[in-house]
């Protein structure tokens, strides 16, 4: 549990979240300007492919021939605007406070490793030899998991439709994230676009984020004490 202490020093600049936000935007815009044939080739060349493109039986071979890098490059490819914008919104909501606490380098490691682990989970669970896995959803799920582990008592603002009016209320983040996580489990089996959305990647990313935040919690506490001058 972290306690907020008035800072005696200027808060450090949070560059990881804005940088990732910009990179995701730029990668999508660049891909959209390519001809259709080039876009398809881009997905095949840089997306995480299930069913053999990633040699799961020989991890060293995958590292040596570069196919393992697909687990990372796939994070910066998105199917459409809705796919991208959904990830960007959640990245800002949960990424900025998480980075402020963790520091930019740990946050960047969380995003990249969480995304790679989630893509690997999707490769294993889908199994179809012709599936292309793309998007930063798994990495963003890792950020959400880390946020919950770091701020278990935090509250998030929610706009609820009440009759003809919209009411802004604050709800426990643990409740909202818990509902979100439960939906990921349900959607993994019976959800919308079953087979098109790698729900297993969301679940794996979320669990990775929780474990990662708990693992580095002591280091984060030391960082906060040093920042406060203790």
């Amino acid at each position: 549990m972290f306690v907020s202490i008035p800072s005696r020093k200027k808060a450090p600049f949070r560059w990881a979240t804005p940088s990732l936000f910009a990179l995701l935007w730029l990668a999508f815009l660049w891909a959209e300007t390519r001809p259709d044939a080039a876009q398809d080739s881009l997905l095949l060349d840089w997306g995480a492919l299930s069913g053999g493109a990633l040699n799961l039986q020989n991890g060293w071979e995958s590292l040596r021939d570069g196919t393992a890098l697909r687990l990372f490059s796939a994070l910066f490819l998105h199917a459409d605007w809705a796919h991208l914008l959904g990830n960007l919104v959640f990245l800002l909501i949960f990424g900025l406070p998480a980075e402020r606490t963790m520091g930019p380098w740990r946050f960047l490691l969380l995003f990249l490793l969480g995304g790679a682990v989630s893509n690997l989970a999707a490769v294993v669970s889908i199994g179809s030899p012709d599936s292309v896995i793309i998007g930063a959803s798994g990495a963003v799920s890792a950020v959400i998991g880390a946020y919950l582990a770091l701020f278990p008592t935090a509250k998030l603002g929610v706009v609820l439709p009440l009759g003809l009016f919209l009411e802004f209320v604050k709800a426990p983040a643990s409740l909202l994230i818990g509902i979100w996580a439960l939906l990921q489990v349900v959607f993994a089996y019976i959800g919308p676009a079953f087979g098109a959305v790698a729900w297993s990647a969301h679940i794996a990313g979320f669990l990775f984020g929780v474990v990662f935040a708990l693992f580095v919690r002591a280091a984060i506490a030391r960082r906060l004490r040093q920042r406060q001058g203790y």
Side-chain angles (χ1 to χ4, degrees), residues 89-191:
V89 169
F90 280 94
L91 176 62
L92 289 180
I93 293 174
F94 297 101
L96 289 173
E99 182 187 352
R100 182 176 63 245
T101 299
M102 300 176 69
W105 291 109
R106 286 193 188 91
F107 180 81
L108 188 61
L109 188 64
L110 164 70
F111 184 91
L112 294 176
L113 288 183
V117 168
S118 65
N119 284 340
L120 181 60
V123 168
V124 173
S125 62
I126 292 177
S128 175
D130 55 355
S131 296
V132 181
I133 300 162
I134 58 174
S137 301
V140 173
S141 298
V143 173
I144 295 174
Y147 179 93
L148 178 61
L150 294 173
F151 310 106
T153 61
K155 291 188 176 182
L156 295 174
V158 181
V159 178
L160 298 177
L162 299 177
L164 299 176
F165 303 96
L166 295 177
E167 185 72 20
F168 181 83
V169 299
K170 284 191 174 182
S174 57
L175 173 62
L176 298 177
I177 295 175
I179 294 174
W180 172 87
L182 178 61
L183 289 176
Q184 305 311 302
V185 176
V186 173
F187 288 164
Y189 297 97
I190 61 173

Side-chain angles (χ1 to χ4, degrees), residues 52-105:
L54 187 66
N55 190 348
L56 297 178
Q57 280 69 41
N58 192 339
W60 173 249
E61 185 65 26
S62 295
L63 291 173
R64 191 171 64 177
D65 61 21
T67 54
L69 294 178
R70 292 173 176 268
L71 297 175
F72 298 94
S73 59
L75 300 175
F76 299 92
L77 300 174
H78 287 82
D80 50 39
W81 287 99
H83 189 200
L84 173 69
L85 291 176
N87 284 331
L88 292 180
V89 169
F90 280 94
L91 176 62
L92 289 180
I93 293 174
F94 297 101
L96 289 173
E99 182 187 352
R100 182 176 63 245
T101 299
M102 300 176 69
W105 291 109

